[in-house]
Amino acid sequence: MEFDKFMLNPEKLKNYCDPSIFDFETTDEAPSLTGLVGQERAMKSVNFGFNVDKPGYNIYLAGSPGTGKTSYAKAMANDRAEKAPTPSDWCYVFNFKKPEEPKALELPPGEGKHFCKTMRELIENARAELPKALKEQTFEERKAQLVKEFQNKRSKLMDKLNQIGEEYGFRFKHTSSGIVTIPMVEGKEINEEEYEKLDEDKRREIEEKSSEIQVHVMKIIREIREEERELKDKLDNLREEMALSSLAPLMKPLKERYEKNESVKEYLEQVENDILDNLDKFTASQDESQGAMFPFLKTDAQTDDFFLRYEINLLVDNSDLSGAPVIVETNPTFYNLLGKMEYVNKMGTTTTDFTQIKPGALHRANGGFLILQANDLLRNPVSYNALKRVLNTRELRIENMGEQMGVIAVSSLRPEPIPIDLKVLIVGTRQIYQLLYNYEEDFSKLFKIKADFDETMERSNVNVHKMASFIYSHCKEKNLRPFTAAAVAKVIEHSSRLADHQQKLSTRFNDMVELAYESDTWAKIDDKNTVNKEHVERAIDEKVYRSNRPEEKIQELIDENILMIDTREKVIGQVNGLAVNDLGDFRFGKPFRITANTFSGKKGIINIEREAKLSGKIHDKGVMILSSYLGDVFFQEMPFSLSCSLCCEQSYGMIDGDSASSTELYAILSSLADAPIKQNIAVTGSVNQKGEIQPVGGITEKIEGYFATCKNKGFTGNEGVIIPKQNEKNLNLSDEIIDAVKEGKFNVYSITSISEGIEILTELPSGLEDEDPSEDSIYMRAKNQIKEFQKTPKEKEDNKNEEKEEKTNDTPE
């Protein structure tokens, strides 16, 4: 039989990149890269998301790691930020009406620093000038005049009281403890001893008169106290007047500067009123002996604690910012996102105040862009819920985490919330996006833009040259050696291998960056000024060598026949399959043996892996498809009566996937038809119910894994692999395999159906798709065997007797 038509030419095993397509000798002559390569869909999505300035149009950048999502998000955000206005500064100040609720003040960008500085200068000047104002001669003279007027009024009232007292036989004196009543006898004041010596009638008379005069005394006392209160008010007014005359020039520049800012204007008025209400704090001596000798006994007036109320907590300072902010928060904990209130220890007690309020990433990004990693954000569920609340309410409130988790709050401060206007960009995988979209009801409302980053791009001439520009730009940015055109061509070929497609390139630029770094290192070790093709090949090979120890150990087991793989004989019901082991940083192919035994019965196909609970769901599905295929081909006109056991030999772990289903079917057909299969050809590919071969993944690694086994066991010239026709475009085989194909040592067969595959493996006609199959075909041999399985023991015995009789009759006498 002729099988050359199924063999692939060496040209189809890899898509080489010709260095001559580049019009440069080294990348130093290549143009710089502008924009992102191969992500037109994602770029349009991100650009549209930036243009929509309505709530909820935040952006989720979805795709595999290393596709440039974060870098592009930063680049686009920075580009937009440069053209955007600089957002306001934000301050927290003391709330004189409700100290437990600090007020938030919005200031033009850059004004925050000035406001802090001028307020600090204001208080310092007030503490210096107000005591002077209250010691000026004018103040003392006006104060003395008020006191003198009071004393005159009090003297007149006392004279009036004494006049009344004389009528009743009493005299009054004003002492520090109040007004004292002194009885008089015969025109003379008497003391307590003299009073006790008076007879009882006289004392009763004095007591009666004392009771009568108390009404007049109380009236006079009320008038004196009223005068005292009036004096105090006049003195306070005088102090405030004098203080205000000194304070007004200090306040005037601030009031004029912030005349149009109502919130700041209101705050300054409150500051002014509070200073006048607390003049004693400003005029208290700062070096009293007690305070100087015993600082721990200082009162509020002797310490600076009181004056914290006039401090400005500059929460967000955009004085050095040109355009909008771009914040990348790598650790989005609750406090890092929303800010926090810090605590200080004072004499064993933790306290806080508005000056201890610290900003979070949302504060710093307000008016601009915040970039977060989905993994980092979702590791902190409280952070994600807090972010949702901020985006829903469009205001940022600093709270204690304990309040979010339903426990007692530690702090009594409740700062005024700050309005938020920003664009949030979350970078993550598609799986996380789907989970959030399906199970988090607010997510679809808050992140309406999805930017989907592809892992591959077309290997067009434009993209190939853009890849060269990417290499040049990165070499220039990181001070790497320039790449030659041949080295760039090798990078292009490796990119196609990573993309697992001859006509595509990988967009996982992180892998390209690693290759550039390592190739540059090998050029340095080789003491070369440019990175050549050999350096790129060395970098690729060395990266494999650092990770392929498990592959080598498995190959050793195969070489020592501990893992039994036959590459020379023909065996019934046995096929070499191909599998891929993925270690994360490295994946490799390895052959494994699949065997099938068929016998009489009605159990169908017995998947030994499934019985041993070592078979995954997809593998189970593939085995069930085999039953369907066999039923369609052999049991249309008779009941299904077949038992078959399938086994992946020497497998001790979980098996999943359907890429071995065609291999398993070949083993079954071989066993049914009693047709030996060539062991020098390994097989991969899944099969559907109609017997069509379907593509599988990891085709390059599978072929390379079997090639290594054949190489170690020694080539006979008949070794090869059978792959699905659709996988031809996925081939990116090593140069060693391609050379072996050119020399006729190794072959790659490409097929579309089970019929083609079984003919290559057995060198017998399949008959599976023929209307009139020959008796020697796989189909007829298998069907005849099934009919034998269906015979009863009596029918089998009768057949044997008939055969004996025929032999006897045929024997010559």
Side-chain angles (χ1 to χ4, degrees):
M1 300 181 71
E2 186 62 46
F3 302 120
D4 290 350
K5 62 179 180 179
F6 300 116
M7 294 181 184
L8 294 181
N9 295 326
E11 293 77 18
K12 289 190 174 183
L13 304 181
K14 183 177 182 178
N15 186 2
Y16 285 94
C17 180
D18 186 356
S20 64
I21 66 172
F22 301 114
D23 54 359
F24 58 80
E25 293 185 6
T26 70
T27 51
D28 276 349
E29 304 166 15
S32 298
L33 178 66
T34 56
L36 193 63
V37 183
Q39 300 290 1
E40 285 73 17
R41 183 195 307 274
M43 291 168 63
K44 287 182 179 180
S45 300
V46 172
N47 187 58
F48 179 75
F50 276 120
N51 283 323
V52 181
D53 57 358
K54 298 296 186 291
Y57 280 86
N58 299 294
I59 306 171
Y60 186 101
L61 293 87
S64 298
T67 51
K69 303 185 297 298
T70 303
S71 299
Y72 184 67
K74 291 179 185 177
M76 284 295 293
N78 285 322
D79 182 63
R80 292 279 175 163
E82 289 178 2
K83 304 169 187 175
T86 304
S88 303
D89 291 348
W90 282 94
C91 305
Y92 269 117
V93 296
F94 185 76
N95 188 339
F96 296 98
K97 295 181 179 179
K98 294 182 178 180
E100 71 279 3
E101 298 180 8
K103 291 183 66 65
L105 296 183
E106 182 179 8
L107 295 163
E111 279 293 310
K113 274 187 177 179
H114 179 269
F115 188 56
C116 289
K117 180 183 177 183
T118 51
M119 275 300 298
R120 191 171 293 113
E121 291 174 350
L122 168 68
I123 300 305
E124 289 175 357
N125 292 333
R127 295 183 71 179
E129 297 298 327
L130 289 180
K132 295 178 183 178
L134 300 182
K135 290 180 181 179
E136 290 183 357
Q137 185 176 354
T138 303
F139 174 75
E140 294 295 337
E141 289 175 353
R142 293 181 64 182
K143 177 182 177 182
Q145 179 64 32
L146 292 174
V147 172
K148 184 178 180 181
E149 291 176 358
F150 166 73
Q151 291 173 342
N152 290 336
K153 290 180 180 179
R154 187 177 64 184
S155 295
K156 288 179 181 180
L157 289 172
M158 289 301 298
D159 290 343
K160 181 180 179 182
L161 184 59
N162 282 325
Q163 288 176 3
I164 296 172
E166 288 179 1
E167 295 177 3
Y168 285 90
F170 290 94
R171 182 168 292 175
F172 299 94
K173 286 187 177 181
H174 192 277
T175 67
S176 59
S177 59
I179 296 176
V180 179
T181 305
I182 304 173
M184 299 180 64
V185 178
E186 296 179 357
K188 295 181 180 180
E189 298 178 5
I190 62 174
N191 55 30
E192 191 171 348
E193 291 180 3
E194 292 173 334
Y195 177 77
E196 292 296 332
K197 293 177 180 180
L198 294 176
D199 58 46
E200 186 175 349
D201 291 339
K202 189 64 175 178
R203 283 184 298 185
R204 186 183 300 113
E205 181 185 354
I206 291 174
E207 289 175 1
E208 289 175 357
K209 288 182 179 181
S210 176
S211 299
E212 292 177 7
I213 203 174
Q214 286 304 315
V215 176
H216 299 284
V217 173
M218 294 304 297
K219 181 181 178 183
I220 296 300
I221 290 175
R222 282 196 299 272
E223 291 181 7
I224 292 174
R225 288 179 177 173
E226 185 64 33
E227 290 297 332
E228 288 176 347
R229 283 193 294 270
E230 187 176 340
L231 173 63
K232 184 179 182 303
D233 291 343
K234 287 180 179 179
L235 290 175
D236 288 343
N237 291 337
L238 176 61
R239 283 163 56 86
E240 289 187 10
E241 181 184 342
M242 296 301 294
L244 186 58
S245 65
S246 178
L247 185 62
L250 302 178
M251 297 287 299
K252 185 178 179 181
L254 274 170
K255 288 184 175 181
E256 289 179 348
R257 188 180 184 100
Y258 301 106
E259 176 67 28
K260 296 181 180 180
N261 192 322
E262 289 299 326
S263 59
V264 177
K265 183 179 176 182
E266 180 185 353
Y267 170 71
L268 292 175
E269 291 174 354
Q270 292 176 359
V271 168
E272 185 176 69
N273 292 334
D274 191 72
I275 292 175
L276 296 177
D277 291 341
N278 293 279
L279 286 175
D280 289 342
K281 307 291 186 183
F282 286 83
T283 58
S285 173
Q286 297 299 314
D287 52 359
E288 295 177 0
S289 60
Q290 186 188 52
M293 294 176 63
F294 307 104
F296 58 88
L297 294 177
K298 285 185 177 182
T299 62
D300 286 346
Q302 294 170 313
T303 66
D304 288 337
D305 288 351
F306 170 80
F307 294 97
L308 279 177
R309 63 174 58 197
Y310 304 115
E311 287 289 327
I312 305 298
N313 183 355
L314 182 54
L315 198 72
V316 179
D317 177 20
N318 290 322
S319 58
D320 297 329
L321 193 63
S322 176
V326 177
I327 303 298
V328 181
E329 181 52 64
T330 57
N331 184 26
T333 63
F334 179 85
Y335 291 127
N336 285 352
L337 270 183
L338 273 75
K340 59 184 174 181
M341 289 173 282
E342 293 184 345
Y343 294 84
V344 294
N345 192 316
K346 291 185 178 180
M347 300 181 70
T349 304
T350 55
T351 62
T352 188
D353 56 66
F354 75 97
T355 64
Q356 300 301 318
I357 298 174
K358 306 301 179 185
L362 286 165
H363 291 100
R364 299 193 300 274
N366 194 10
F369 308 93
L370 175 62
I371 301 174
L372 302 170
Q373 295 292 329
N375 275 332
D376 298 331
L377 180 63
L378 295 178
R379 286 193 188 102
N380 299 277
V382 180
S383 300
Y384 176 66
N385 289 330
L387 176 64
K388 285 196 307 178
R389 187 177 65 256
V390 170
L391 295 179
N392 275 319
T393 61
R394 298 185 67 79
E395 67 176 23
L396 178 52
R397 186 185 299 274
I398 297 178
E399 295 175 314
N400 190 287
M401 188 185 293
E403 297 177 8
Q404 300 299 309
M405 303 180 71
V407 299
I408 298 175
V410 176
S411 174
S412 61
L413 292 184
R414 293 186 63 82
E416 181 182 5
I418 292 176
I420 283 291
D421 181 18
L422 81 168
K423 184 97 48 191
V424 178
L425 293 83
I426 293 182
V427 179
T429 64
R430 295 187 186 89
Q431 291 81 0
I432 292 178
Y433 177 86
Q434 292 301 328
L435 287 172
L436 290 172
Y437 193 90
N438 291 325
Y439 297 104
E440 176 52 59
E441 60 179 336
D442 290 328
F443 180 78
S444 60
K445 301 175 185 176
L446 298 175
F447 291 87
K448 297 180 184 292
I449 301 296
K450 176 186 177 183
D452 197 352
F453 281 69
D454 200 349
E455 289 78 21
T456 61
M457 60 182 173
E458 292 299 321
R459 185 171 162 174
S460 62
N461 187 58
V462 172
N463 285 340
V464 167
H465 281 79
K466 282 185 177 181
M467 184 71 79
S469 296
F470 170 78
I471 296 171
Y472 160 71
S473 298
H474 204 76
C475 289
K476 183 178 180 182
E477 179 184 352
K478 301 299 181 181
N479 197 28
L480 305 180
R481 291 165 178 76
F483 280 55
T484 64
V488 173
K490 194 64 184 177
V491 173
I492 297 296
E493 293 172 8
H494 184 65
S495 181
S496 279
R497 180 184 174 96
L498 293 178
D500 204 21
H501 200 292
Q502 292 182 355
Q503 302 304 322
K504 293 185 182 295
L505 296 173
S506 172
T507 58
R508 296 177 61 177
F509 291 101
N510 188 54
D511 294 332
M512 299 298 101
V513 170
E514 287 182 10
L515 182 58
Y517 287 157
E518 294 173 19
S519 300
D520 175 76
T521 302
W522 287 114
K524 180 179 72 172
I525 294 172
D526 204 19
D527 197 23
K528 299 293 184 181
N529 294 325
T530 58
V531 177
N532 303 323
K533 174 184 176 182
E534 293 75 21
H535 299 136
V536 178
E537 291 175 339
R538 179 77 181 273
I540 295 170
D541 293 341
E542 290 291 336
K543 183 177 177 64
V544 170
Y545 178 73
R546 292 195 295 271
S547 303
N548 75 339
R549 183 187 61 82
E551 180 186 23
E552 291 184 353
K553 292 298 181 183
I554 290 175
Q555 190 58 54
E556 286 180 13
L557 296 176
I558 295 174
D559 295 342
E560 296 171 1
N561 206 35
I562 295 173
L563 287 179
M564 294 185 292
I565 300 294
D566 184 5
T567 62
R568 298 182 185 278
E569 304 297 327
K570 291 185 177 182
V571 182
I572 295 173
Q574 178 176 296
V575 189
N576 286 330
L578 297 173
V580 171
N581 280 13
D582 195 339
L583 304 179
D585 62 333
F586 177 68
R587 67 175 187 172
F588 62 93
K590 68 166 186 174
F592 66 102
R593 177 179 289 178
I594 293 177
T595 59
N597 287 332
T598 54
F599 43 89
S600 178
K602 297 184 179 181
K603 292 184 178 180
I605 298 178
I606 301 171
N607 180 4
I608 293 178
E609 266 67 40
R610 181 180 180 182
E611 298 300 317
K613 297 183 179 179
L614 292 176
S615 177
K617 293 181 179 180
I618 299 176
H619 184 249
D620 290 342
K621 176 186 175 183
V623 174
M624 292 177 186
I625 289 174
L626 302 186
S627 296
S628 175
Y629 173 80
L630 293 173
D632 181 59
V633 173
F634 296 107
F635 299 101
Q636 291 282 359
E637 300 174 355
M638 54 183 171
F640 194 98
S641 54
L642 173 66
S643 291
C644 173
S645 63
L646 273 176
C647 181
C648 297
E649 303 290 353
Q650 293 185 287
S651 66
Y652 307 106
M654 181 64 68
I655 294 177
D656 204 1
D658 63 351
S659 62
S661 58
S662 66
T663 313
E664 292 165 336
L665 184 54
Y666 294 137
I668 295 172
L669 292 174
S670 169
S671 178
L672 281 174
D674 199 30
I677 285 180
K678 294 185 287 186
Q679 301 299 294
N680 54 8
I681 297 179
V683 181
T684 186
S686 71
V687 65
N688 61 24
Q689 294 186 102
K690 302 300 182 182
E692 297 170 324
I693 301 298
Q694 302 172 141
V696 294
I699 196 72
T700 296
E701 289 81 4
K702 290 177 178 178
I703 295 174
E704 290 177 345
Y706 186 64
F707 178 83
T709 297
C710 295
K711 176 182 175 183
N712 288 2
K713 287 181 175 291
F715 288 111
T716 64
N718 296 315
E719 287 80 10
V721 294
I722 296 176
I723 67 169
K725 180 76 172 177
Q726 298 94 321
N727 280 127
E728 288 182 11
K729 58 182 176 292
N730 303 116
L731 294 173
N732 282 282
L733 298 177
S734 65
D735 292 342
E736 184 182 11
I737 296 179
I738 295 173
D739 291 340
V741 171
K742 290 178 180 178
E743 295 169 7
K745 295 180 181 179
F746 195 80
N747 295 301
V748 178
Y749 300 91
S750 171
I751 63 170
T752 59
S753 67
I754 287 292
S755 179
E756 295 171 349
I758 197 66
E759 289 183 354
I760 295 172
L761 291 171
T762 62
E763 296 185 348
L764 292 173
S766 74
L768 296 171
E769 299 173 0
D770 298 341
E771 293 184 3
D772 186 20
S774 65
E775 285 298 320
D776 194 38
S777 67
I778 296 294
Y779 172 78
M780 291 305 299
R781 293 172 68 160
K783 192 166 186 178
N784 292 334
Q785 181 61 63
I786 291 171
K787 288 180 179 179
E788 284 295 317
F789 289 156
Q790 290 180 335
K791 289 181 179 179
T792 65
K794 185 177 183 305
E795 289 175 331
K796 292 180 180 179
E797 187 64 28
D798 292 343
N799 286 342
K800 287 181 180 179
N801 293 333
E802 290 178 3
E803 290 176 359
K804 287 181 181 179
E805 290 179 3
E806 289 177 0
K807 288 181 180 180
T808 301
N809 294 333
D810 291 341
T811 302
E813 295 181 356

